[in-house]
Amino acid sequence: MTILKDSEKEVKENGTIEERTEVLRGEQRVIGAELQFFFNSKVKVDTYMNYTRPQLAILLEPIKKAFLDAKSRGVKLRYVTEITKDNISACKELMMIVDELRHLDAIKGNFMVSESEYLAPIVLFEKGKVASQIIYSNLKEIVEHQQYTFDTFWSKAIPAQEKIREIEEGVATIRTSLLEDQDEIIKEIKRLNNSANNLSICSAFGGMQMSYDYFFDSYKRIVDIYRKGKGDGVRWILNIDKDSIELVKLFLESGIQVRHIKEMLPMNFGVSDKQVALTIEKMEGGKMSQSFLISNDPSYVNHFNSFFEQLWKGGVDAAGKIRAFEQGVEPEFLEVITDHQIAGQILADLAKSVKKEALYLLPNDKGMLRAERLGVIDYLIHASLDGAKVKIICPLSSENADVVKRIHSNAAEGIKILNGSNSLYGIFIVDGEKFFRAELREPDAIEFSDAIGFTIYSNSRRSVESFKSVFELLWNERTLNEELKRAHKMQREFIDIAAHELRTPIQPILALTDTLYSHTNDPEQAKSLEVIKRNAKRLMRLSNDILDVTRIEGKSLELNEEEFNLKDVILDAMNDISVLREFLDKKNIKLSYNPQDILIQADKERITQVVSNLLDNAVKFINKAKGGTVTIEIEKKTITRGRIERQSKVRDNIVVVNIKDDGPGIDPEVMPKLFSKFVSTSFTGTGLGLFISKSIVEAHGGDMWAGNNADGKGATFTFSLPIRPP
């Protein structure tokens, strides 16, 4: 094998090294490429390999020597792999060679990246076998992207010493993992329950049904421990309704403590003093969730325990809630106030009646000025001087700075004010006994009666406790801010993983549906299979859209550029859409296009996605009964831009694609945010298509825009792409 020096590499006429991406075949060329890669590295070599590769790095002498030689030259070596019982010896030896070795579960691919090159052996999980092919690239964009990928994996990996200790000594490390196998989920949650002395659960009724079917015995064990004076037992929070009463009674009879809350969270979780398990699935009808996130990270455990305590404090005793259902007990009163002058008087009287505590959420900065004009602020100052505790959440600005200053100077520490965000409503809670809620209708109004809309006044204990819980959650928001950020990041990662895994079962569903469809002679069965197939495709599009949005927002959208004829893409997209049900169901609909050859260098699959999406939108808005025409036009253009440093002009060739329909046009209210996420005037779709399409075009260096047609009929969507020389 020959190692090339820098002076012997292929160079361009200007002396720079030739950029290239290629696939090398044959074991000797693969090994040669790896040795050359190590030889070329001057600063670092980052390696990401599955569990079969550490043995090869140790046993294959040329590769081992390449690692050692690079290290002797001061090259920093980082290595990520999956450490198992089978490769632990090789990993220990590898730890003596590289600067740092880390473990990551379920590694699927293999690649290495240096400061200037990228290598990816094409091998699955064949132990001791050298890859037969390897991908090489020194293209800057690829190297930078793979470096970002490695750094992402590196940040998620744990030190090798921790994994080795876990394998050899059985000492658990801090870990957060997503479980998607039902048997594994049941086993892990039972293990969590059986090792816990207390358990706090917040779930929908479906989660309680599922838990009764799978985990009820493990709850009884914790309750028995609690009855013997150890732990806090099992506590459960849910929204109790008539359908859930019988099961809630059963839980109460078994010794489980249950409380009712009005507004459920968009997730279900259970947390002990050691672990937390959560899912965003509703588990309707007691169905087992398809995925659970399990973590023993103390920061997560502490966060969800703290979160549960806040919800528990605001909950209503389940026995009382059940009695209310069974006896038809209603709150003392709940009034909807339509007279805004009366509403203002009620608010002032409430402020005047404060004895122990007042909680006041103001919807905007001017809300404090309106409250002052009603006399509410003066009443609260007097109450605070008499010993009442007053908390105010209000957006702070120059508008209300003088009022805030007056409060602080007169009430000292008796009134605490927190800077809040603008809200659609205001809340006032007095002594934990009464609450007043008013919708904000005119944010800039001076008078209170002119500003408010829908208003509720009540002394319902359950309602008061619910609103008080909301207020306290908002009050504690700042102290929980960092934990909430981490929870948000975890949720995003979960959605990303879920979207990836969502696609896994869809393809076999489609394939099996096609097979069944081709073998059935029953019209009713065929119709049902068409429904399954149509909805599976919608689910596939949804998961693809979610993944695309995640890649776009994470700046990891990859483009596989090639030279192709734009005409072929447009014709294929027209053929595809012309056989869809939505197209066939509409009468007198026409697709118009005058084909012309235009070669471009771009990602063919992504540009096809853009064209198909725009055609689909155009067809969607064509009147079903009257029909219409969708016209596709393309043209080459040349734009001129100045280059300041040379005081000259540069001429760029672009292709412009117009897709015009004669439907109802674009709603003026939608136009300013047309290419934003989740924007749609249709009852179908997710509102992600235009956002994704524009992002794809912009990633190619192009642009996308839209407008209603001058004749008042329909709209035209346009995008441009640069025409790069092949």
Side-chain angles (χ1 to χ4, degrees), residues 362-391:
L362 290 153
N364 67 350
D365 54 0
K366 289 185 173 63
M368 186 171 286
L369 302 179
R370 292 188 288 266
E372 184 183 43
R373 292 174 67 88
L374 279 176
V376 171
I377 299 300
D378 287 331
Y379 289 136
L380 292 179
I381 291 174
H382 289 311
S384 70
L385 295 175
D386 290 336
K389 296 180 180 179
V390 180
K391 294 180 179 179

Side-chain angles (χ1 to χ4, degrees), residues 198-424:
N198 56 73
L199 191 60
S200 302
I201 300 171
C202 177
S203 81
F205 176 50
M208 179 175 271
Q209 291 175 298
M210 181 275 294
S211 298
Y212 177 75
D213 292 337
Y214 293 99
F215 309 121
F216 196 65
D217 289 340
S218 64
Y219 299 151
K220 290 181 179 179
R221 184 197 67 81
I222 301 174
V223 171
D224 289 339
I225 294 174
Y226 174 63
R227 286 170 173 166
K228 294 175 183 177
K230 296 181 181 180
D232 296 322
V234 180
R235 297 183 297 170
W236 206 293
I237 291 175
L238 80 160
N239 179 271
I240 301 174
D241 56 20
K242 293 181 180 179
D243 295 331
S244 61
I245 286 177
E246 293 306 318
L247 186 58
V248 172
K249 284 182 178 180
L250 183 61
F251 273 56
L252 290 171
E253 290 169 0
S254 69
I256 295 173
Q257 306 165 67
V258 184
R259 288 190 181 181
H260 161 84
I261 60 173
K262 186 176 181 180
E263 300 293 336
M264 287 300 301
L265 301 173
M267 69 172 69
N268 302 277
F269 69 87
V271 59
S272 69
D273 55 337
K274 300 175 183 177
Q275 282 189 285
V276 61
L278 65 95
T279 180
I280 62 172
E281 296 182 35
K282 295 181 179 180
M283 297 175 286
E284 293 180 348
K287 183 180 179 181
M288 170 59 70
S289 173
Q290 298 300 305
S291 60
F292 260 90
L293 195 70
I294 309 289
S295 179
N296 64 350
D297 188 327
S299 61
Y300 291 153
V301 173
N302 293 336
H303 168 71
F304 279 100
N305 269 312
S306 175
F307 196 29
F308 181 89
E309 292 301 330
Q310 293 291 334
L311 295 171
W312 185 257
K313 290 178 182 177
V316 177
D317 180 66
K321 181 67 177 178
I322 292 173
R323 281 196 302 272
F325 273 117
E326 293 179 338
Q327 299 174 9
V329 176
E330 295 295 333
E332 288 78 358
F333 67 81
L334 193 154
E335 299 178 6
V336 176
I337 305 168
T338 57
D339 188 322
H340 297 164
Q341 294 291 340
I342 294 176
Q345 186 59 52
I346 290 173
L347 178 60
D349 291 341
L350 277 173
K352 189 177 181 179
S353 70
V354 173
K355 303 297 181 185
K356 299 177 182 178
E357 180 188 68
L359 308 177
Y360 198 8
L361 172 67
L362 290 153
N364 67 350
D365 54 0
K366 289 185 173 63
M368 186 171 286
L369 302 179
R370 292 188 288 266
E372 184 183 43
R373 292 174 67 88
L374 279 176
V376 171
I377 299 300
D378 287 331
Y379 289 136
L380 292 179
I381 291 174
H382 289 311
S384 70
L385 295 175
D386 290 336
K389 296 180 180 179
V390 180
K391 294 180 179 179
I392 299 174
I393 300 176
C394 177
L396 303 180
S397 71
S398 58
E399 290 276 354
N400 55 26
D402 291 338
V403 180
V404 173
K405 184 177 179 180
R406 185 168 74 84
I407 292 173
H408 286 157
S409 62
N410 287 281
E413 296 297 319
I415 298 180
K416 296 182 178 180
I417 302 175
L418 177 68
N419 186 19
S421 302
N422 288 330
S423 174
L424 298 176

Side-chain angles (χ1 to χ4, degrees), residues 69-312:
D69 177 67
K71 187 174 183 180
S72 68
R73 291 186 282 108
V75 176
K76 184 177 181 180
L77 305 175
R78 296 191 297 176
Y79 200 112
V80 178
T81 190
E82 183 179 6
I83 302 174
T84 67
K85 292 180 180 180
D86 295 332
N87 68 9
I88 194 169
S89 296
C91 289
K92 285 183 177 180
E93 189 171 348
L94 194 57
M95 288 172 63
M96 305 300 293
I97 297 175
V98 300
D99 292 287
E100 187 174 357
L101 178 69
R102 289 190 182 182
H103 162 84
L104 188 65
D105 287 327
I107 289 179
K108 301 296 184 183
N110 303 279
F111 70 87
M112 295 181 286
V113 62
S114 70
E115 68 276 6
S116 59
E117 295 178 304
Y118 161 73
L119 274 183
I122 303 175
V123 63
L124 297 177
F125 296 92
E126 300 172 302
K127 296 181 180 179
K129 185 175 180 180
V130 177
S132 60
Q133 300 179 62
I134 195 166
I135 300 172
Y136 167 83
S137 180
N138 62 353
L139 190 63
K140 181 181 178 182
E141 290 79 4
I142 292 178
V143 172
E144 289 178 349
H145 172 74
Q146 292 305 130
Q147 185 63 60
Y148 173 82
T149 301
F150 179 89
D151 290 338
T152 301
F153 288 134
W154 183 259
S155 66
K156 295 180 180 180
I158 64 173
Q161 295 89 335
E162 291 184 14
K163 183 62 180 179
I164 291 172
R165 185 182 177 200
E166 180 181 342
I167 293 174
E168 294 182 336
E169 302 177 17
V171 178
T173 56
I174 294 175
R175 186 172 300 170
T176 300
S177 57
L178 182 69
L179 304 183
E180 298 173 294
D181 177 81
Q182 181 170 315
D183 293 336
E184 188 178 4
I185 290 171
I186 295 171
K187 179 180 177 182
E188 184 63 19
I189 294 180
K190 282 185 176 180
R191 188 194 64 77
L192 185 157
N193 294 346
N194 291 330
S195 64
N197 290 328
N198 56 73
L199 191 60
S200 302
I201 300 171
C202 177
S203 81
F205 176 50
M208 179 175 271
Q209 291 175 298
M210 181 275 294
S211 298
Y212 177 75
D213 292 337
Y214 293 99
F215 309 121
F216 196 65
D217 289 340
S218 64
Y219 299 151
K220 290 181 179 179
R221 184 197 67 81
I222 301 174
V223 171
D224 289 339
I225 294 174
Y226 174 63
R227 286 170 173 166
K228 294 175 183 177
K230 296 181 181 180
D232 296 322
V234 180
R235 297 183 297 170
W236 206 293
I237 291 175
L238 80 160
N239 179 271
I240 301 174
D241 56 20
K242 293 181 180 179
D243 295 331
S244 61
I245 286 177
E246 293 306 318
L247 186 58
V248 172
K249 284 182 178 180
L250 183 61
F251 273 56
L252 290 171
E253 290 169 0
S254 69
I256 295 173
Q257 306 165 67
V258 184
R259 288 190 181 181
H260 161 84
I261 60 173
K262 186 176 181 180
E263 300 293 336
M264 287 300 301
L265 301 173
M267 69 172 69
N268 302 277
F269 69 87
V271 59
S272 69
D273 55 337
K274 300 175 183 177
Q275 282 189 285
V276 61
L278 65 95
T279 180
I280 62 172
E281 296 182 35
K282 295 181 179 180
M283 297 175 286
E284 293 180 348
K287 183 180 179 181
M288 170 59 70
S289 173
Q290 298 300 305
S291 60
F292 260 90
L293 195 70
I294 309 289
S295 179
N296 64 350
D297 188 327
S299 61
Y300 291 153
V301 173
N302 293 336
H303 168 71
F304 279 100
N305 269 312
S306 175
F307 196 29
F308 181 89
E309 292 301 330
Q310 293 291 334
L311 295 171
W312 185 257

Side-chain angles (χ1 to χ4, degrees), residues 610-662:
V610 172
V611 174
S612 297
N613 182 61
L614 295 180
L615 280 176
D616 181 66
N617 279 352
V619 170
K620 184 188 301 181
F621 288 102
I622 294 292
N623 186 281
K624 185 174 183 179
K626 296 180 180 179
T629 301
V630 176
T631 305
I632 303 98
E633 300 172 344
I634 62 173
E635 61 177 325
K636 288 183 179 179
K637 286 187 177 181
T638 300
I639 59 173
T640 303
R641 57 185 173 88
R643 180 172 291 176
I644 297 173
E645 64 271 24
R646 296 184 181 178
Q647 296 297 319
S648 62
K649 300 292 183 181
V650 177
R651 298 172 68 82
D652 289 339
N653 292 323
I654 65 170
V655 60
V656 178
V657 180
N658 295 295
I659 297 180
K660 178 181 179 181
D661 65 69
D662 51 11

